[in-house]
Amino acid sequence: MNARTEPAEKGTRAIARPPLVRELLLVAGLFLVYKFGRQLATGHTGEALHNARHVWDLERTLQLPNEGSVQSVLLHSDTLVHLANTFYATVHFPATVAFLVWLYLRRPAHYVWARRVLATVTSAALVLPFVFPLAPPRMLAATGLVDTAKVYGPSVYGPPTSDHLSNQFAAMPSLHFGWALMVAIGLIVATRSRWRWLWLLHPLVTLMVIIGTANHYWLDAVVATAMLGVALAFIHPPHRTATTAGRVQPQLAAEEPVLVGAGR
């Protein structure tokens, strides 16, 4: 009887790194769908402003904090408001791409999970502007908020009537916040550092930026959080019992040997 032992290979194939070219195409497709898919729901100015008034009134009924209280903090300093506008314009995409690249290289199983969650949330978010176009608070005079990007710069948006790169009437849900929250959750789940909870500062700062620059309402972030929660409820992260580099943890291999040929 052959009683030699080998490390268990449970999960090895399941967490193999996906083919790079395929993943580049998938991720590029995700971003293109996000960027250009929103264009299909452009227009609807009157309806978007009408919905904006309802959202603003609903927030006051729910006694949510006034978005102006966050913006007033930014407006105390030209430098601070400029930094907030720059954060809004430049961090959203690069941070998410860096998150996916790091997971792909270091945590392949978590990468597949995170990519699926982001794709699901993004696809679902593209549907909402068709049924509920929403103008951001910077466009609604009743809010009394300043369009900080237009006044202080930098701005990623042009006049709504001539802006062919984005749908400015798709404020709900806030994918700025939804993606930032997923980045934080993904890194918390995929890492073990005692400091990993500090990643929650990313969605927190993002929330303050999107509110303070008058690009989103509180409810935009609430809806994004709810959509992400539903996606996470159905798309589960990999178990921590295996590494995501395609190998079983050494301690697991030592503790759970497999007897090869024991029954021969």
Side-chain angles (χ1 to χ4, degrees), residues 172-184:
M172 183 180 288
S174 170
L175 285 181
H176 267 75
F177 181 74
W179 285 9
L181 185 57
M182 182 56 203
V183 168

Side-chain angles (χ1 to χ4, degrees), residues 18-262:
L20 178 60
V21 173
R22 188 192 72 180
E23 291 307 310
L24 287 174
L25 292 174
L26 286 173
V27 174
L30 171 64
F31 283 99
L32 287 175
V33 165
Y34 165 74
K35 194 66 179 177
F36 297 108
R38 291 161 62 114
Q39 290 302 304
L40 298 176
T42 55
H44 309 290
T45 304
E47 186 179 359
L49 290 170
H50 177 75
N51 290 336
R53 285 189 287 271
H54 279 297
V55 168
W56 182 257
D57 291 340
L58 177 59
E59 287 189 339
R60 307 292 74 80
T61 301
L62 296 174
Q63 298 184 350
L64 294 179
N66 192 304
E67 285 83 348
S69 61
V70 178
Q71 186 173 89
S72 64
V73 175
L74 297 182
L75 295 179
H76 279 303
S77 167
D78 289 357
T79 300
L80 189 58
V81 71
H82 184 81
L83 286 174
N85 292 332
T86 302
F87 185 97
Y88 182 86
T90 63
V91 173
H92 178 43
F93 279 105
T96 308
V97 171
F99 164 67
L100 290 173
V101 169
W102 186 85
L103 287 182
Y104 179 84
L105 295 174
R106 301 295 299 274
R107 304 287 191 273
H110 288 89
Y111 162 79
V112 173
W113 163 67
R115 187 248 293 152
R116 288 173 179 168
V117 172
L118 286 171
T120 300
V121 172
T122 302
S123 300
L126 293 175
V127 176
L128 200 52
F130 286 98
V131 296
F132 193 75
L134 181 65
R138 59 186 168 81
M139 292 185 183
L140 188 62
T143 66
L145 297 173
V146 176
D147 186 344
T148 60
K150 182 178 180 181
V151 175
Y152 297 93
S155 177
V156 294
Y157 300 121
T161 55
S162 60
D163 187 354
H164 301 296
L165 296 177
S166 59
N167 178 13
Q168 297 188 48
F169 300 128
M172 183 180 288
S174 170
L175 285 181
H176 267 75
F177 181 74
W179 285 9
L181 185 57
M182 182 56 203
V183 168
I185 291 174
L187 290 172
I188 289 170
V189 171
T191 59
R192 293 177 178 271
S193 168
R194 70 179 65 181
W195 303 103
R196 67 188 187 277
W197 295 99
L198 290 177
W199 285 113
L200 289 173
L201 290 174
H202 177 49
L204 178 60
V205 171
T206 299
L207 179 61
M208 295 299 101
V209 165
I210 64 175
I211 298 298
T213 56
N215 281 293
H216 287 282
Y217 307 88
W218 295 112
L219 287 178
D220 297 340
V222 170
V223 171
T225 302
M227 294 174 68
L228 179 60
V230 171
L232 290 171
F234 288 95
I235 306 173
H236 298 188
H239 296 295
R240 284 184 177 272
T241 55
T243 68
T244 52
R247 298 185 301 275
V248 178
Q249 291 179 358
Q251 63 269 31
L252 264 179
E255 291 172 2
E256 299 181 8
V258 176
L259 296 178
V260 178

